[in-house]
Amino acid sequence: MNKNSIYGLTIEQLTSWLGKHGYKPYRASQVWNYLYRERVTTFSEMVDIKADCIELLTENFTIQTLREHVKQEASDGTVKFLFKLNDGNLIETVLMRHKYGLSVCVTTQVGCNIGCSFCASGLLTKTRDLSSGEIVEQIMNVQHHLDTAGEGEKVSHIVVMGIGEPFDNFQNMIDFLKIMIDQKGLAIGSRHITVSTSGIVNKMYEFADVNIPVNLALSLHAPNNELRTKIMKINRAFPVEQLMDAINYYIEKTNRRITIEYILLKDVNDHVEEAVELAALFQDKKKKTYINLIPYNPVDEHSQYQRSDQESVLAFYDTLKKNGINCKIRQEHGTDIDAACGQLRSKQIKKDKDQSIKS
Ligand code: SF4
């Protein structure tokens, strides 16, 4: 039997599960303390917990379902991890260093079905959703990597922007967020967490209603339906007008700012005309939106897309600024390793396949 990861349980779920087996609520707090503060890697290290409880936990859960398969370190301190799951699937997780702290980009699905035309992750369609435990374990594995280095560094920020569409794995993603912000666990500040969606409109409404106070980012990448449908086929299901309605609802309901992600693709969506159109779209929401302009990391399989030249990027940025739009050009990380999201994973899968054919 494949056991579930203990990391998949919120403190309430663990308390209730242990309660059903006759244990008092403080046992759950003790287990969490060992997991998130002591950061043990086996149940037997939970020395203050009674042997019968350890036995029960060992019989029903596992602590480690992820194994490190490949690790790439870039000169700027970015580290890309490729983790192997229990079923042999590979997922990618990235640690990035910023002036304000250490952030981790997590994956929510094995592959992705959204099929954005510029994306390396979407080259491999979705095999399955990750469990909440598998998402939490990515953070814990990165934290163990930092613990081993002995510098006392801690993961301080999380971006749910890796492989997969988080809103297509909604409940597991919500449990993951609850676990991450819980004061008894890693206690990551909710304002330090950002969830990014390609724009699954019904889930944007649901997310606003759930109202976990983390940040939301929307991958827009084009200011009109014609262009957006060319780049992102999901726009056929959820066109720009519907996205704008969902943004309005989110802002009204949560009173939080929303980040708009815009990847600049050379001669595709990086003209001043598109910047003007984009600025018009957000004119009445200037105080509650922030546009992130993202330099594109080319991938071999999508040779139709190239990185915008610096001149176009600056002209785009200046146009938004002149129109009073809050925006910035996103800083890049790990450019001397496989920088595009999903690139390391797709290359490694190909490499593993080639090796198995040879052997
Ligand atoms: S950009 Fe995100 S949503 Fe689009 S295909 Fe890639 S992983 Fe999926």
Side-chain angles (χ1 to χ4, degrees), residues 170-188:
F170 196 78
Q171 194 50 52
N172 289 342
M173 186 265 307
I174 294 288
D175 284 349
F176 161 73
L177 295 177
K178 285 183 183 163
I179 293 164
M180 286 297 104
I181 64 178
D182 197 303
Q183 289 305 310
K184 288 198 169 87
L186 290 184
I188 306 236

Side-chain angles (χ1 to χ4, degrees), residues 117-118 230-231 265 268 296 298-299 302-307:
S117 62
F118 50 81
K230 271 189 203 154
I231 303 173
L265 304 164
V268 176
Y296 180 60
V299 273
H302 299 313
S303 56
Q304 75 273 34
Y305 294 127
Q306 294 305 318
R307 169 183 290 246

Side-chain angles (χ1 to χ4, degrees), residues 6 21 44 52 60 112 115 120 149 170 183 221 269-270 290 324 340 350:
I6 185 96
H21 290 85
S44 57
D52 55 349
N60 289 278
C112 183
F170 196 78
Q183 289 305 310
H221 308 322
N269 65 352
D270 65 346
Y290 194 93
K350 194 170 173 297

Side-chain angles (χ1 to χ4, degrees), residues 60-312:
N60 289 278
F61 298 102
T62 169
I63 290 192
Q64 280 186 315
T65 52
L66 264 55
R67 301 265 175 271
E68 194 178 294
H69 189 56
V70 176
K71 185 161 72 184
Q72 281 187 343
E73 300 204 38
S75 53
D76 64 0
T78 302
V79 187
K80 273 207 168 194
F81 300 86
L82 209 54
F83 293 119
K84 193 173 255 188
L85 304 171
N86 265 348
D87 59 7
N89 277 306
L90 295 175
I91 56 164
E92 205 175 286
T93 307
V94 187
L95 165 68
M96 290 164 288
R97 290 178 181 278
H98 307 271
K99 284 194 193 100
Y100 54 77
L102 297 179
S103 78
V104 178
C105 179
V106 293
T107 283
T108 51
Q109 297 179 311
V110 180
C112 183
N113 278 346
I114 303 295
C116 303
S117 62
F118 50 81
C119 174
S121 306
L123 286 169
L124 300 157
T125 51
K126 182 177 105 173
T127 312
R128 69 172 174 89
D129 290 330
L130 292 191
S131 67
S132 49
E134 287 167 329
I135 311 174
V136 174
E137 276 195 44
Q138 293 172 61
I139 301 291
M140 295 315 295
N141 273 276
V142 174
Q143 187 56 57
H144 284 140
H145 163 85
L146 294 169
D147 292 344
T148 308
E151 305 284 330
E153 291 185 305
K154 268 200 73 186
V155 173
S156 60
H157 291 67
I158 296 172
V159 286
V160 188
M161 291 186 185
I163 300 168
E165 163 53 64
F167 282 3
D168 185 34
N169 186 12
F170 196 78
Q171 194 50 52
N172 289 342
M173 186 265 307
I174 294 288
D175 284 349
F176 161 73
L177 295 177
K178 285 183 183 163
I179 293 164
M180 286 297 104
I181 64 178
D182 197 303
Q183 289 305 310
K184 288 198 169 87
L186 290 184
I188 306 236
S190 51
R191 297 300 160 110
H192 290 183
I193 301 179
T194 302
V195 176
S196 175
T197 179
S198 59
I200 301 190
V201 163
N202 52 323
K203 294 292 174 188
M204 286 173 72
Y205 285 96
E206 209 176 320
F207 192 61
D209 291 339
V210 172
N211 205 4
I212 294 178
V214 300
N215 307 305
L216 177 64
L218 168 71
S219 296
L220 188 67
H221 308 322
N224 59 59
N225 284 325
E226 196 188 338
L227 187 52
R228 192 164 189 268
T229 304
K230 271 189 203 154
I231 303 173
M232 301 173 77
K233 62 181 183 190
I234 191 170
N235 197 65
R236 283 192 209 115
F238 303 114
V240 174
E241 301 74 34
Q242 285 188 25
L243 288 175
M244 298 312 286
D245 287 345
I247 290 172
N248 285 336
Y249 181 83
Y250 177 84
I251 293 172
E252 244 169 62
K253 181 89 190 188
T254 65
N255 199 28
R256 283 196 293 278
R257 202 166 69 163
I258 182 165
T259 301
I260 306 300
E261 309 276 4
Y262 196 102
I263 287 184
L264 287 160
L265 304 164
K266 186 178 167 61
D267 298 332
V268 176
N269 65 352
D270 65 346
H271 310 100
V272 167
E273 295 75 44
E274 277 110 30
V276 171
E277 215 177 331
L278 188 62
L281 210 50
F282 291 98
Q283 215 35 239
D284 63 340
K285 293 182 252 301
K286 281 194 277 204
K287 288 203 179 111
K288 286 291 178 190
T289 48
Y290 194 93
I291 299 186
N292 248 339
L293 299 175
I294 307 166
Y296 180 60
N297 284 313
V299 273
D300 296 345
E301 294 83 350
H302 299 313
S303 56
Q304 75 273 34
Y305 294 127
Q306 294 305 318
R307 169 183 290 246
S308 295
D309 49 53
Q310 192 63 0
E311 214 174 287
S312 310

Side-chain angles (χ1 to χ4, degrees), residues 72 80 92 334-341 343-344 347:
Q72 281 187 343
K80 273 207 168 194
E92 205 175 286
T335 43
D336 54 341
I337 52 178
D338 294 310
C341 166
Q343 206 172 14
L344 174 60
K347 276 190 184 172

